[in-house]
Amino acid sequence: MSSEVLTKYNSQASPKEVHLYQQKVGSLLYATTITRPDVAKTASKLSEFLLNPSPRHMEAVDRAIAYLYGTRTLAIEYGPDRDQKSEVFTCASDAAFADNQDRKSSDGYLFKLFGGPVDWRAGKQKTVITSSTEAELLSLTQTAKESYQGSQ
């Protein structure tokens, strides 16, 4: 997806436009929840505009759906990596400091088992923080909590 900035719509979308947008974002969210971690951040961002989408938001969700359609033959693969030492389980987290208009940071995590993703999340942190280090630590803390909850 492109890195264009989507902003709040200053006009009012019609109820029909809102409903159509919500259906499209819902379809996108379903795909990201089940099998497509590659569009999780996009779906998260588009979800911020569910109540009043602009024509730019509609274009963005249409592009995301077109991307999913164009990559529908790709699949998550599980198994040992022939080129590198195979690791059974890996996890990663990342954060982007104050990258939203409300100054909240974005973060996410990815858990992989035998080379394929098994759990992921992308979204906005709940609090406004003051440094990139703090954003990374908050993301790492959330990832550790998820890892612990998943092991029980």
Side-chain angles (χ1 to χ4, degrees), residues 111 119 143-152:
F111 296 136
D119 190 18
T143 302
K145 286 180 183 178
E146 285 296 319
S147 175
Y148 179 73
Q149 290 174 350
S151 67
Q152 292 187 359

Side-chain angles (χ1 to χ4, degrees), residues 6 15 17-18 23 27 56 59 70 99 108 113 122 134 136 147:
L6 294 175
E17 292 168 329
V18 170
Q23 286 180 317
S27 296
R56 281 189 63 194
E59 290 170 14
D99 62 334
L113 184 63
E134 190 179 355
E136 293 287 352
S147 175

Side-chain angles (χ1 to χ4, degrees), residues 29-107:
L29 285 169
Y30 179 77
T32 63
T33 302
I34 304 301
T35 59
R36 297 300 300 264
D38 53 334
V39 292
K41 173 66 177 164
T42 300
S44 173
K45 187 63 179 174
L46 291 171
S47 295
E48 294 179 21
F49 308 101
L50 288 173
L51 297 178
N52 191 28
S54 72
R56 281 189 63 194
H57 299 130
M58 192 65 80
E59 290 170 14
V61 76
D62 287 342
R63 278 195 317 274
I65 291 169
Y67 168 79
L68 286 176
Y69 184 77
T71 58
R72 70 189 177 283
T73 59
L74 301 179
I76 296 172
E77 292 186 27
Y78 299 89
D81 187 354
R82 293 185 179 99
D83 298 332
Q84 299 176 347
K85 180 182 170 192
S86 180
E87 296 182 11
V88 174
F89 177 79
T90 56
C91 71
S93 69
D94 195 16
F97 174 60
D99 62 334
N100 293 289
Q101 288 193 325
D102 60 3
R103 303 295 296 158
K104 290 184 179 177
S105 301
S106 296
D107 70 353

